[in-house]
Amino acid sequence: MIPTLFGIMTVNFLIIQAAPGGPVERTIAVIQGFGTDATERVSGSDMGEVMDRAQSSELNSKYRGAQGLDPELIAELERMYGFDKPLHERYFQMIGQYLRFDFGESFYRDQSVVELVKEKMPVSISLGLWTTLLVYFISIPLGIAKAVRDGSRFDVWTSGVVIIGYAIPSFLFAILLIVVFAGGHYLDWFPLRGLTSSNWEELSSLGKIADYFWHLALPVTAMLIGGFAGLTLLTKNSFLDEINKLYVTTARAKGLSENRVLYGHVFRNAMLIVIAGFPGAFIDIFFTGALLTEIIFSLDGLGLLGYEAAIGRDYPVMFATLYFFTLLGLLMQLVGDLTYTLVDRRIDFESREV
């Protein structure tokens, strides 16, 4: 896990350093009037004067668009963003800080990275946790039921539902839910934005819980539609593969009940492949899958934070979220490996007799 973590951070650090349009260039663009903030403040005539000064200057700089700016200002920008140091010094400084979980300050927000992550964490945890739980609680029983009733009418019509769910992107389903249930054109049953209501602090304990799940209903449903489809088919195929093996026929021949055969013998072997996919599914739902959902439902979570940091070249936030996502993904992979041994002791080779 440790070399993998630092390998990922190293590769991404080198890629980011080679990518054009870093924070210094972004700030220069704002100063020159090309950034959004600057264009809102600079009038047309002032913009022309800035461009004339830039074109008449003979300043040579490694930054595109730096013509017309004082070299001391460029040096100050480099110092402010830490680019006045050599590449290897910046790398080892970053690694040393991350070992202490010191992620520094955001370039463009007046907050530390840790405060930003703490602020966005409740949204991502809420979406990821409840979606993952519902996906597994629905998909595993449904997949087992489909495997046991393979070829029946139940299997056929549930397969139709699963295929539709697999084919519809979560963000498209989210828009449909808003149109139908959030005051789009039909019903106005659910709120459109936020994780809680504005009067949440005034509500009772039971009212706070109800308000929390009321706001989560549509976002979690939108993320659920695509997540449960793939896992249901995976569970069904895994169980079908095990049901057709010889040891199941032998267990049935011994007179064991169908439930004993299914849950005492088949379940552990069939669940291995499902458990293997849990870490990846959790990370995908927890972060990647939540990005568009957060945007559509105006939920300010970690996925949106990382995306905005990448677009805005906010390196401390971008690397911190990457470090956090990678570390969490590796830990979840470790949890999946440890769970293997709980489900099937044959995985633990050290405990097997020679």
Side-chain angles (χ1 to χ4, degrees):
M1 289 173 58
I2 294 175
T4 301
L5 176 63
F6 287 104
I8 291 173
M9 295 303 298
T10 300
V11 171
N12 282 274
F13 178 83
L14 295 176
I15 292 175
I16 291 300
Q17 302 306 312
V24 176
E25 290 183 330
R26 184 177 184 274
T27 305
I28 289 173
V30 172
I31 294 174
Q32 293 282 36
F34 299 109
T36 303
D37 296 335
T39 54
E40 293 176 352
R41 297 192 302 266
V42 180
S43 63
S45 59
D46 293 335
M47 178 69 73
E49 294 178 4
V50 170
M51 293 298 296
D52 291 340
R53 291 198 303 269
Q55 293 175 356
S56 63
S57 174
E58 297 181 357
L59 173 65
N60 293 321
S61 175
K62 63 181 179 180
Y63 297 108
R64 183 180 302 174
Q67 286 78 10
L69 296 180
D70 190 345
E72 293 183 0
L73 175 60
I74 302 299
E76 177 64 21
L77 290 175
E78 289 181 335
R79 186 197 63 77
M80 183 173 64
Y81 292 120
F83 285 88
D84 57 331
K85 300 175 182 178
L87 182 67
H88 67 279
E89 287 189 20
R90 298 203 304 272
Y91 171 75
F92 287 112
Q93 181 182 9
M94 181 190 73
I95 295 299
Q97 290 176 338
Y98 284 10
L99 288 175
R100 303 189 304 270
F101 288 90
D102 177 14
F103 301 113
E105 300 283 332
S106 169
F107 283 166
Y108 309 116
R109 303 173 188 239
D110 191 21
Q111 284 181 283
S112 68
V113 175
V114 173
E115 290 177 353
L116 281 172
V117 171
K118 287 182 179 179
E119 181 182 318
K120 314 300 181 184
M121 186 72 76
V123 172
S124 294
I125 290 179
S126 297
L127 290 175
L129 177 64
W130 294 114
T131 303
T132 304
L133 289 177
L134 288 174
V135 163
Y136 273 79
F137 283 155
I138 293 174
S139 298
I140 293 177
L142 181 58
I144 295 174
K146 286 173 63 63
V148 173
R149 299 171 176 83
D150 184 41
S152 65
R153 301 178 92 184
F154 171 81
D155 181 42
V156 172
W157 72 260
T158 52
S159 294
V161 175
V162 168
I163 291 173
I164 292 174
Y166 193 79
I168 299 177
S170 60
F171 72 90
L172 188 61
F173 190 66
I175 296 174
L176 176 63
L177 291 176
I178 290 175
V179 171
V180 176
F181 297 107
H185 288 288
Y186 300 98
L187 305 174
D188 191 9
W189 290 353
F190 296 94
L192 184 57
R193 65 188 65 213
L195 198 60
T196 56
S197 299
S198 57
N199 63 335
W200 190 79
E201 294 293 340
E202 303 172 2
L203 299 175
S204 63
S205 298
L206 187 60
K208 289 181 178 179
I209 295 174
D211 182 75
Y212 170 72
F213 285 106
W214 183 46
H215 282 76
L216 276 179
L218 293 187
V220 170
T221 303
M223 295 176 63
L224 180 66
I225 188 68
F228 93 96
L231 186 59
T232 300
L233 294 177
L234 178 65
T235 304
K236 176 192 173 182
N237 293 333
S238 179
F239 268 79
L240 279 177
D241 184 55
E242 293 295 326
I243 288 173
N244 293 325
K245 289 184 177 179
L246 186 59
Y247 76 89
V248 176
T249 305
T250 304
R252 287 171 175 166
K254 289 181 178 181
L256 296 179
S257 65
E258 191 65 23
N259 285 338
R260 180 70 182 277
V261 172
L262 187 62
Y263 295 103
H265 293 77
V266 175
F267 185 79
R268 284 192 171 187
N269 296 327
M271 286 303 294
L272 283 175
I273 190 171
V274 177
I275 294 173
F278 175 76
F282 178 78
I283 296 300
D284 182 64
I285 292 173
F286 197 59
F287 299 111
T288 310
L291 174 58
L292 290 176
T293 304
E294 290 178 8
I295 295 175
I296 293 171
F297 289 99
S298 300
L299 298 171
D300 197 3
L302 287 176
L304 184 59
L305 176 66
Y307 172 76
E308 290 178 346
I311 296 298
R313 301 297 195 271
D314 196 345
Y315 289 168
V317 176
M318 184 168 59
F319 280 117
T321 52
L322 174 66
Y323 182 83
F324 178 76
F325 294 169
T326 305
L327 181 60
L328 183 60
L330 293 172
L331 289 174
M332 291 306 302
Q333 189 66 54
L334 176 62
V335 170
D337 292 342
L338 294 175
T339 309
Y340 274 170
T341 61
L342 298 177
V343 177
D344 190 344
R345 296 294 181 181
R346 295 174 300 174
I347 301 297
D348 188 1
F349 294 103
E350 294 181 358
S351 64
R352 295 171 62 177
E353 296 181 1
V354 178

